[in-house]
Amino acid sequence: MEVELRNMIANVGFHIAVSIFLLIRIENKLSTLSESINGLSKIIESAAQKR
């Protein structure tokens, strides 16, 4: 990973390399967050239907 990051910095520049690195790291967390929100929506719907 470090070698790839160094090559990326050399090829595209520091700011773009950092942006890409952060997007890759955050992508998994966003997916998990989206799944949690969908699950919470289902729980709220089922609670509302029980009333």
Side-chain angles (χ1 to χ4, degrees):
M1 180 81 172
E2 287 183 34
V3 174
E4 292 174 2
L5 186 59
R6 279 189 237 149
N7 289 337
M8 190 183 309
I9 291 171
N11 291 332
V12 297
F14 177 75
H15 298 317
I16 294 173
V18 169
S19 297
I20 291 170
F21 177 74
L22 291 174
L23 285 172
I24 291 170
R25 288 195 52 183
I26 292 173
E27 180 182 5
N28 187 28
K29 293 178 184 180
L30 288 175
S31 176
T32 304
L33 180 61
S34 179
E35 291 172 4
S36 297
I37 290 171
N38 288 335
L40 184 58
S41 295
K42 290 177 184 177
I43 292 170
I44 291 172
E45 283 180 11
S46 67
Q49 290 175 355
K50 290 181 181 178
R51 287 185 173 198

